[in-house]
Amino acid sequence: MTETLESIAQAMVAPGKGILAADESSGTIKKRFDAINVASTEDNRRDYRELLFRTDEAMQKYISGVILFDETIRQKAKDGTPLVDLIKKAGAIPGIKVDAGAKPMAGFPGETVTEGLDGLRERLAEYYDLGARFAKWRAVIDIGDGIPTNACIEANAEALARYAALCQEAKIVPIVEPEVLMDGSHTADRCFEVTEATLRTVFNRLALHNVKLEGTILKPNMIVSGKKCPTQAGVEEVAEKTIACFKRTVPAAIPGIVFLSGGQSDEDATAHLDAMNKIGGFPWKMSFSYGRALQAAPQKAWAGKAENVPAAQKAFLHRARMNSLATLGEWQSSLEKSA
Ligand code: 13P
């Protein structure tokens, strides 16, 4: 079969599969390693990611693609095999984070705009040669007193659209990620309102830039209560509100929605996804592109020790399998306890 943007996007959301977000920047992976008392050296980062990509059962059955950071897409396993080849051998698609991070937005205190458009055409061509068939760009929208502003939403949506157009020109499927943060004390209804406004603007800009939706994957937040909100929306409420918000704003031509976990607990991220797929009745695949919710458990089990690799792989396999079941609406909380 010839590879097209559509066929790659469809493969990214193949039934029962989702994406492993292993694209932590140098700063973020250091934070994760600090939490398990592991020095963030190039070798440790390699060893850790190699153990994930060599978890054959998880990678072959439950993972459709892996988002990599620039260092990792160029890195070789201990035995000299490029890490990209390990991913491909497992039948998964290599992807690449191409944004340069969310930077303070001039004139808008407390808000950020994501950078990285300069030179992106050339970088995408290189990443294609290195094996990447999809990319990720993360915009960050924070909720607080008087924010987000329209200026912040518009600037981030415009950058996402320009990024997506450049990706498609390079035969790379763009993952469009406008993340409305769950860090504040806002209610789930406020999250709904801000996510609705953000997605409307993002899809307007994608249309303006002639981005082909059939070859685009959306990576959004779910509609959840802010972490510091005294009343927390339950699983059913999150599922219903998330579906309702997306029905208003996400065109049916988008093949798949892959959620970020955003700081939800491992089990919440799984339960929410499962509840949405149990409800069903929407035109897109709903799957995962989790970073923390797939990796927190294996990181803890590994703790930087070679002898813990099998335990870490077991933990990764378990979370991958739970989230795979959630994409089918077949997860049950009892499966967590029995593991
Ligand atoms: P989390 O699932 O940890 O939010 O990370 C996903 C991701 O790639 C954010 O850009």
Side-chain angles (χ1 to χ4, degrees), residues 21-23 32 67 97 136 138 177 179 219 259-263 289-294:
D23 60 322
R32 307 280 181 260
I67 318 177
K97 168 195 178 76
K136 179 190 108 172
R138 173 175 176 256
E177 178 179 8
E179 175 174 7
K219 175 165 176 170
F259 291 97
L260 57 94
S261 59
S289 174
Y290 293 158
R292 283 163 284 181
L294 278 171

Side-chain angles (χ1 to χ4, degrees), residues 2-252:
T2 49
E3 195 178 69
T4 61
L5 290 172
E6 291 88 335
S7 69
I8 297 164
Q10 293 290 349
M12 288 165 71
V13 289
K17 290 190 176 187
I19 290 170
L20 165 65
D23 60 322
E24 298 83 1
S25 61
S26 311
T28 303
I29 195 71
K30 185 179 180 310
K31 251 196 282 178
R32 307 280 181 260
F33 278 15
D34 282 350
I36 52 170
N37 279 313
V38 174
S40 185
T41 63
E42 202 176 322
D43 279 358
N44 284 343
R45 293 192 291 269
R46 188 270 321 274
D47 288 349
Y48 168 64
R49 284 162 173 154
E50 181 174 348
L51 85 78
L52 295 178
F53 308 157
R54 283 196 194 274
T55 308
D56 293 338
E57 190 181 347
M59 294 291 295
Q60 290 166 8
K61 287 171 122 169
Y62 309 128
I63 301 297
S64 58
V66 182
I67 318 177
L68 303 168
F69 186 56
D70 182 79
E71 175 185 86
T72 321
I73 201 171
R74 304 168 192 281
Q75 233 167 4
K76 291 188 166 68
K78 222 172 201 153
D79 69 1
T81 314
L83 292 179
V84 164
D85 290 354
L86 294 184
I87 294 167
K88 286 199 221 164
K89 221 181 80 202
I93 309 168
I96 183 76
K97 168 195 178 76
V98 300
D99 67 69
K103 305 290 161 65
M105 182 159 147
F108 293 87
E111 296 192 287
T112 60
V113 62
T114 299
E115 295 186 350
L117 288 169
D118 289 356
L120 182 55
R121 173 176 279 131
E122 293 72 24
R123 288 196 292 128
L124 285 167
E126 190 196 2
Y127 288 139
Y128 186 93
D129 290 341
L130 288 167
R133 291 297 177 271
F134 69 92
K136 179 190 108 172
W137 178 290
R138 173 175 176 256
V140 180
I141 308 292
D142 203 358
I143 299 180
D145 231 4
I147 64 169
T149 61
N150 284 335
C152 172
I153 293 175
E154 294 278 351
N156 276 294
E158 176 73 8
L160 276 168
R162 288 184 57 197
Y163 141 82
L166 282 163
C167 283
Q168 293 190 333
E169 179 190 87
K171 302 193 183 337
I172 287 178
V173 169
I175 292 185
V176 169
E177 178 179 8
E179 175 174 7
V180 176
L181 295 178
M182 60 180 289
D183 296 339
S185 55
H186 55 272
T187 61
D189 286 336
R190 176 80 177 126
C191 175
F192 190 119
E193 193 177 272
V194 172
T195 303
E196 181 178 359
T198 299
L199 291 175
R200 265 191 217 296
T201 307
V202 166
F203 282 102
N204 271 326
R205 292 302 172 116
L206 292 179
L208 186 66
H209 285 267
N210 293 329
V211 173
K212 196 172 180 178
L213 298 184
E214 291 80 358
T216 301
I217 296 288
L218 178 69
K219 175 165 176 170
N221 53 285
M222 297 176 195
I223 306 302
V224 292
S225 315
K227 269 189 198 160
K228 287 175 270 179
C229 183
T231 52
Q232 292 287 313
V235 173
E236 285 306 307
E237 187 180 350
V238 168
E240 282 164 13
K241 286 192 161 139
T242 303
I243 293 170
C245 182
F246 290 3
K247 278 190 171 171
R248 285 188 189 174
T249 53
V250 182

Side-chain angles (χ1 to χ4, degrees), residues 254-298:
I254 287 281
I257 293 175
V258 295
F259 291 97
L260 57 94
S261 59
Q264 297 182 35
S265 72
D266 295 356
E267 202 167 321
D268 279 355
T270 304
H272 290 150
L273 179 62
D274 179 67
M276 288 188 271
N277 282 308
K278 278 190 166 80
I279 295 169
F282 37 77
W284 336 271
K285 297 276 179 42
M286 285 233 200
S287 183
F288 58 90
S289 174
Y290 293 158
R292 283 163 284 181
L294 278 171
Q295 295 188 67

